[in-house]
């Protein structure tokens, strides 16, 4: 079982990456983490629309390896803190390069059913409030859909300015349960 993790967390040892670690420790198997803040040689999408006509991207850079890893993955995990009610800018710039998969709608070559399983992990610094994670949820769930990935669920940690997985064992348990759900889906 191979898992591709894409994380948009600026802090290497922050809450988002702690959630990713707990998830992967529970899931097991092989994994690769693409860190949007530390990814090198990945240009932004330039909306040239090459992918509207051909499967692939006109830009050949570090994203070629990300595409290869995605194609080999059984699972995709997306993780980000919320910055102004959505995912981080670095993660969004990387996600925009997945336009090549969305363009399958235009090319009429989207797979008929999901090819892999997915999960979403999000962190918000503010105390919990209605729709706190809605912006991130919309972006990440739609990305999973365009990547032909079935979303098995999401776990959100609010109030991370004061809370953590240690102070919120209920959230840690949700992370473990989502990883176990993904593991069971692969068996």
């Amino acid at each position: 079982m191979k898992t591709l993790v894409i994380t948009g967390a600026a802090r290497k040892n922050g809450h988002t990456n702690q959630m990713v670690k707990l998830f992967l420790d529970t899931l097991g198997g092989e994994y690769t983490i693409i860190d949007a803040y530390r990814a090198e040689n990945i240009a932004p999408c330039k909306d040239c629309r090459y992918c509207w006509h051909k499967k692939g991207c006109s830009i050949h850079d570090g994203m070629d390896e990300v595409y290869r890893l995605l194609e080999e993955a059984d699972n995709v995990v997306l993780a980000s803190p919320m910055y102004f009610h959505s995912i981080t800018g670095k993660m969004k710039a990387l996600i925009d390069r997945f336009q090549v998969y969305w363009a399958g709608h235009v090319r009429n070559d989207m797979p008929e059913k999901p090819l892999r399983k997915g999960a979403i992990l999000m962190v918000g610094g503010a105390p919990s409030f209605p729709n706190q994670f809605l912006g991130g949820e919309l972006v990440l769930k739609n990305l999973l859909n365009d990547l032909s990935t079935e979303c098995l669920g999401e776990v959100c940690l609010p109030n991370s300015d004061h809370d953590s997985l240690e102070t919120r064992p209920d959230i840690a348990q949700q992370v473990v349960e989502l990883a176990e759900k993904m593991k069971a889906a692969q068996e």
Side-chain angles (χ1 to χ4, degrees):
M1 173 175 56
K2 292 183 178 181
T3 302
L4 176 62
V5 178
I6 301 173
T7 180
R11 295 185 303 130
K12 285 184 183 181
N13 298 313
H15 299 295
T16 303
N17 286 327
Q18 288 174 7
M19 289 176 76
V20 167
K21 182 179 180 336
L22 177 58
F23 189 95
L24 292 173
D25 288 348
T26 304
L27 181 64
E30 296 177 48
Y31 64 86
T32 302
I33 298 174
I34 304 298
D35 180 334
Y37 272 85
R38 289 151 196 91
E40 294 182 15
N41 190 30
I42 297 180
C45 177
K46 58 185 181 179
D47 192 27
C48 67
R49 303 192 179 183
Y50 174 92
C51 61
W52 285 31
H53 308 287
K54 296 183 181 181
K55 206 171 193 174
C57 186
S58 68
I59 303 169
H60 294 287
D61 59 10
M63 200 65 188
D64 290 339
E65 176 68 5
V66 177
Y67 297 143
R68 183 189 66 75
L69 291 166
L70 175 66
E71 292 298 324
E72 295 176 356
D74 302 301
N75 305 310
V76 177
V77 177
L78 305 173
S80 183
M82 294 295 98
Y83 284 11
F84 289 92
H85 309 286
S86 190
I87 61 173
T88 62
K90 288 281 195 177
M91 186 165 185
K92 180 65 170 76
L94 191 145
I95 286 173
D96 286 351
R97 288 292 300 282
F98 285 112
Q99 178 80 356
V100 299
Y101 290 91
W102 172 88
H105 295 290
V106 177
R107 294 186 313 263
N108 293 313
D109 62 7
M110 291 289 289
E112 291 183 27
K113 61 181 185 171
L115 303 175
R116 54 193 72 84
K117 305 297 182 196
I120 297 170
L121 306 172
M122 294 183 285
V123 174
S128 184
F129 62 87
N131 298 318
Q132 181 176 7
F133 296 97
L134 182 59
E137 179 182 327
L138 290 171
V139 171
L140 300 179
K141 280 189 174 179
N142 282 306
L143 173 62
L144 289 176
N145 183 59
D146 290 335
L147 298 179
S148 300
T149 302
E150 177 188 1
C151 184
L152 298 178
E154 65 184 70
V155 178
C156 302
L157 172 65
N159 201 33
S160 67
D161 288 346
H162 301 286
D163 282 327
S164 66
L165 293 179
E166 290 77 32
T167 64
R168 292 292 308 269
D170 57 321
I171 302 292
Q173 183 59 36
Q174 289 175 37
V175 172
V176 167
E177 289 171 1
L178 183 54
E180 288 173 344
K181 183 177 182 180
M182 183 174 276
K183 187 188 308 187
Q186 297 298 331
E187 294 173 355

